[in-house]
Amino acid sequence: MAIATIGRWGNSLALRIPGDLAATVRLAEGCAVDIERHGAALVITPATPRFSAAELFAGKSAAAWRAEYAGAYDWGDDIGREIVAE
């Protein structure tokens, strides 16, 4: 366990995390973190990246994505209303 002191950063409070502790959880300057309250405790974890669909699929057209993944999965034959006319 490490002991840290809360400081002030503008109108907000700041927590200085010791370098060795930050390194063990892969935190570095500029990293985004999620802060949650669990009862009287604060839990700080590296933020999970969040992307929009536009960001995830940027740079390729729908046709390019279909061409890249054509035949990647074999779901079996189309049945009933699944049948796609080509």
Side-chain angles (χ1 to χ4, degrees):
M1 178 191 305
I3 295 178
T5 303
I6 301 292
R8 181 157 299 279
W9 189 358
N11 290 328
S12 300
L13 297 177
L15 174 64
R16 185 170 268 197
I17 301 170
D20 58 337
L21 185 59
T24 62
V25 293
R26 297 183 181 161
L27 288 179
E29 184 177 345
C31 286
V33 294
D34 290 325
I35 303 172
E36 299 177 291
R37 182 180 60 83
H38 289 266
L42 291 177
V43 177
I44 302 170
T45 54
T48 304
R50 294 175 178 93
F51 301 99
S52 68
E55 291 171 318
L56 288 173
F57 296 107
K60 287 188 183 179
S61 67
W65 283 107
R66 279 193 289 277
E68 186 167 332
Y69 287 96
Y73 303 100
D74 181 7
W75 301 100
D77 294 331
D78 293 339
I79 300 171
R81 294 189 301 178
E82 292 180 348
I83 298 174
V84 178
E86 294 201 27

